[in-house]
Amino acid sequence: VKKKVYHLEEAAIAGNPDARYNLGCLEGKSGRHERAMNHFIVSANMGHKMSLDSLKKGFMAGLVSKEDLASALRAHQAA
């Protein structure tokens, strides 16, 4: 698992939105929801649709502010 996370982090740093989304999923499963939402925001800004959907769910659960969601939506549409 450590090796998987390491390689996902390396890919995320290199700008891979799928890796960033997967890191968000792992963080969410570990109970670190704020970190998960931050990963989803970054990948949604790169145009990742599933990240945007996860942000919407996070907003409904009160984990994401309206401003952060709106900003991510604008960036997603521009990507």
Side-chain angles (χ1 to χ4, degrees):
V1 174
K2 283 185 180 184
K3 216 171 205 181
K4 177 182 177 180
V5 172
Y6 170 78
H7 288 292
L8 283 174
E9 288 172 348
E10 290 294 313
I13 290 168
N16 184 313
D18 291 325
R20 184 69 74 164
Y21 171 77
N22 288 332
L23 280 173
C25 292
L26 289 173
E27 294 286 5
K29 287 179 184 176
S30 297
R32 294 185 291 266
H33 300 292
E34 188 172 323
R35 286 184 63 145
M37 293 301 123
N38 287 336
H39 285 299
F40 294 146
I41 287 170
V42 172
S43 58
N45 289 345
M46 291 188 258
H48 196 270
K49 172 83 170 91
M50 289 188 298
S51 292
L52 187 62
D53 294 340
S54 295
L55 281 174
K56 289 176 185 176
K57 290 177 186 174
F59 173 72
M60 297 301 280
L63 299 171
V64 178
S65 71
K66 187 175 185 177
E67 294 80 21
D68 286 342
L69 179 62
S71 175
L73 182 58
R74 284 191 299 275
H76 180 268
Q77 291 171 338

